[in-house]
Amino acid sequence: MNKKILFCALLLSCVLTSHAGDYATLYRQLPVALTEPMAPTIPDNQVSLTDFGGCGDGVTLNTEAFEKAIKALSAKGGGHLVVPAGIYVTGIIQLKDNIDLHLERHAMILASSERSLFIKTDSKTGKKESKATPLISASKRHDISITGEGTIDGNGEWWRAVKRSKVSDDEWKVFREMGGTVADDGKLWYPFNLKNDNNLAKTCEEQEKMRTHLIRFSDCERVMVKGVTVQNAPKFHLVPQSCHQVIFDDVTVRCPWNAQNGDGIDLMQCSDVLVTGCHLDVGDDGICLKGGVGQASLVKGPCENILITDNVVNHAHGGFVIGSEFSAGINRIVVLRNTFSGTDTGLRFKSGAGRGGTTSQIFISDIYMSDIKGEAISFETTYADRPAGSKEVSAPTGTDFLPHFTDIHISHVICRDTRTAISAHGNLDMIHDIYLDDCTFFYTKKGLDINDAAMLKMGKVNFHTYGKP
């Protein structure tokens, strides 16, 4: 056999072997048995985006090049679509079975600032859809991945409303120079009536509702995102919905700290998921688990069998979050060896009537926190969603789909500098069977802020503040 061919064969064998066993050690000696997700199977075919007219000059629109390249690979049974160094402006990219989108170092996929490219039109009725389509998506697909060392940028400043209270005078000036519309009270800027783009709706409020995620996988099997940087989403960044066997490994997710609804990774009713080695610095929740709202969510089932380990979250509203919606349940979750530094809250559990469910077998340990703006650990059962520009919303009421935060085990948490160590506020029987042990908190205002209805059981939990041991 030719030496070069033999070497390539051995190299591929090593890659496949390591790929299959990379994560096995993470699943040993866990407090609850979890199933390791399988990595996608990608054929050895490879094409370059430039082979199909792709141009990374930061000006040329590459939507058609991506479509042609993915179609050609799909005809071969799948393979790797390589994006070389450059800036590739594009509209919608839709992945197919057995496709790996591979970004080489210094490659950037940039969502076009022409927002109409992301609004699909119904081929039968001719009507435009009420929401934008994500930059990258896949629906009812299997064995898909996004890998490499490049960057995926959602150009989110063309989509997001901006709160005046969250930007400096200089930043506010930059947004005003884009055009846009300022709310009557001067507290909010909308990317409506921009100088260099047309509106998508009749009012700024209607257009605000059209924002969507940057990367979304729906009803997919065996999904991986590895090594890339994902940034500046119009809304959430990485969103698998009702997916099975998902791996997020060594992914950087970032956006401005004040980005409205700028969630990092949102796992929605997914099963067999691994999130490891990721670094997040975002405008809203960092790593968040959701289980759907109300009766309709029960069809898709719970969010379950998930390992979240060895990640770092800098700015976020919460480092690790459950809620606000989880009507179908959140089950068998292990959160292990994570660092939260500079988040508003560390461990955040939030929900309200009508969108709640039941948690079970939640194990959280070896969490290291510093510079937490609010609470290190927070439970809230009166949460209400408040979109930008909306009027103040009262806490939800009712007796259906109440939240039950229960069977949650938290141990070996070390937190230095948090305003409040542990906060828990809820109605009777909504926060119960919560166990904390071997934890140390250094707080600046309160050690505990817990109402009588919250049932927390504490073992060895130490509280320190200035002037006190």
Side-chain angles (χ1 to χ4, degrees):
M1 182 182 289
N2 182 288
K3 289 185 177 179
K4 185 175 181 180
I5 296 175
L6 178 60
F7 174 77
C8 291
L10 289 171
L11 181 61
L12 179 60
S13 175
C14 290
V15 170
L16 291 176
T17 301
S18 64
H19 209 45
D22 271 351
Y23 308 111
T25 56
L26 298 178
Y27 284 81
R28 295 173 186 165
Q29 297 182 329
L30 295 179
V32 61
L34 300 179
T35 302
E36 179 185 349
M38 292 179 62
T41 299
I42 308 295
D44 202 28
N45 304 313
Q46 179 175 305
V47 300
S48 173
L49 185 66
T50 56
D51 296 336
F52 298 85
C55 181
D57 61 1
V59 177
T60 302
L61 187 66
N62 289 273
T63 312
E64 187 176 353
F66 277 109
E67 184 176 355
K68 287 181 177 179
I70 291 170
K71 185 177 180 180
L73 271 177
S74 183
K76 296 178 180 181
H80 305 270
L81 170 53
V82 177
V83 183
I87 298 177
Y88 297 85
V89 180
T90 184
I92 296 168
I93 299 171
Q94 293 183 305
L95 299 177
K96 295 185 178 182
D97 299 340
N98 304 104
I99 298 288
D100 168 44
L101 179 61
H102 183 81
L103 287 78
E104 292 186 340
R105 183 178 293 187
H106 306 303
M108 175 183 287
I109 296 175
L110 177 65
S112 172
S113 58
E114 188 177 341
R115 296 172 295 181
S116 60
L117 293 176
F118 300 92
I119 307 298
K120 288 185 176 180
T121 301
D122 190 302
S123 58
K124 294 182 179 179
T125 65
K127 292 184 178 180
K128 291 184 177 180
E129 294 187 358
S130 59
K131 279 193 175 183
T133 296
L135 171 63
I136 300 175
S137 65
S139 178
K140 298 180 180 179
R141 296 293 181 182
H142 64 81
D143 297 285
I144 51 179
S145 62
I146 302 173
T147 62
E149 299 178 76
T151 300
I152 300 167
D153 191 309
N155 231 339
E157 64 269 21
W158 292 86
W159 292 89
R160 298 188 301 261
V162 176
K163 292 181 178 179
R164 179 64 183 92
S165 60
K166 289 190 173 184
V167 295
S168 67
D169 291 345
D170 287 342
E171 290 171 310
W172 187 251
K173 182 180 178 181
V174 170
F175 285 111
R176 294 303 309 272
E177 287 174 351
M178 293 172 63
T181 301
V182 177
D184 292 339
D185 59 7
K187 294 181 179 180
L188 201 64
W189 174 89
Y190 291 98
F192 189 80
N193 292 334
L194 293 172
K195 292 178 181 178
N196 297 311
D197 195 24
N198 296 320
N199 294 327
L200 302 174
K202 293 180 179 179
T203 68
C204 50
E205 292 84 3
E206 289 178 15
Q207 184 172 282
E208 168 67 13
K209 295 176 183 178
M210 298 178 76
R211 283 192 296 141
T212 190
H213 311 133
L214 178 52
I215 301 174
R216 183 172 65 211
F217 308 105
S218 303
D219 299 288
C220 292
E221 185 97 6
R222 292 181 299 280
V223 175
M224 172 182 277
V225 181
K226 184 173 182 177
V228 295
T229 294
V230 179
Q231 65 184 29
N232 203 15
K235 200 172 183 181
F236 301 171
H237 287 77
L238 273 170
V239 185
Q241 297 178 322
S242 303
C243 292
H244 178 58
Q245 302 195 100
V246 178
I247 300 170
F248 292 152
D249 181 5
D250 188 29
V251 181
T252 297
V253 184
R254 64 189 183 194
C255 66
W257 72 271
N258 48 18
Q260 190 71 22
N261 308 115
D263 286 29
I265 297 173
D266 278 41
L267 307 176
M268 300 183 177
Q269 295 182 270
C270 293
S271 60
D272 294 1
V273 181
L274 171 63
V275 180
T276 184
C278 296
H279 188 170
L280 298 95
D281 193 334
V282 295
D284 209 310
D285 291 331
I287 302 171
C288 185
L289 308 187
K290 297 178 183 292
V293 179
Q295 189 68 37
S297 70
L298 303 184
V299 176
K300 294 289 186 179
C303 198
E304 63 183 357
N305 197 32
I306 295 170
L307 176 60
I308 297 170
T309 181
D310 299 298
N311 304 287
V312 175
V313 182
N314 293 127
H315 187 272
H317 285 183
F320 169 75
V321 182
I322 290 179
S324 63
E325 61 269 29
F326 67 107
S327 296
I330 307 284
N331 309 321
R332 296 194 309 280
I333 312 297
V334 176
V335 183
L336 177 65
R337 294 189 307 272
N338 295 279
T339 295
F340 308 143
S341 180
T343 61
D344 294 345
T345 305
L347 302 172
R348 187 184 189 194
F349 306 86
K350 59 175 182 176
S351 191
R355 57 200 306 124
T358 301
T359 61
S360 67
Q361 293 184 288
I362 313 295
F363 295 89
I364 302 171
S365 67
D366 297 276
I367 305 297
Y368 308 98
M369 308 187 204
S370 68
D371 190 23
I372 305 300
K373 305 297 189 298
E375 302 88 5
I377 301 174
S378 172
F379 292 89
E380 179 187 1
T381 62
T382 57
Y383 180 85
D385 192 25
R386 298 177 178 87
S390 65
K391 295 181 180 179
E392 190 68 20
V393 180
S394 301
T397 58
T399 57
D400 293 330
F401 293 102
L402 299 176
H404 290 277
F405 291 118
T406 183
D407 196 7
I408 299 175
H409 309 260
I410 302 172
S411 63
H412 196 205
V413 173
I414 298 175
C415 178
R416 171 71 194 199
D417 289 337
T418 181
R419 184 177 175 84
T420 301
I422 303 172
S423 171
H425 293 271
N427 297 322
L428 189 65
D429 296 328
M430 290 191 186
I431 305 172
H432 57 95
D433 295 300
I434 312 296
Y435 305 92
L436 294 96
D437 191 25
D438 190 23
C439 300
T440 300
F441 302 91
F442 189 101
Y443 65 90
T444 59
K445 185 178 180 181
K446 285 185 178 181
L448 295 173
D449 182 11
I450 300 175
N451 71 356
D452 292 338
M455 306 296 289
L456 277 66
K457 301 178 182 180
M458 300 190 193
K460 184 182 177 183
V461 180
N462 301 309
F463 299 93
H464 302 266
T465 190
Y466 295 105
K468 297 181 180 180

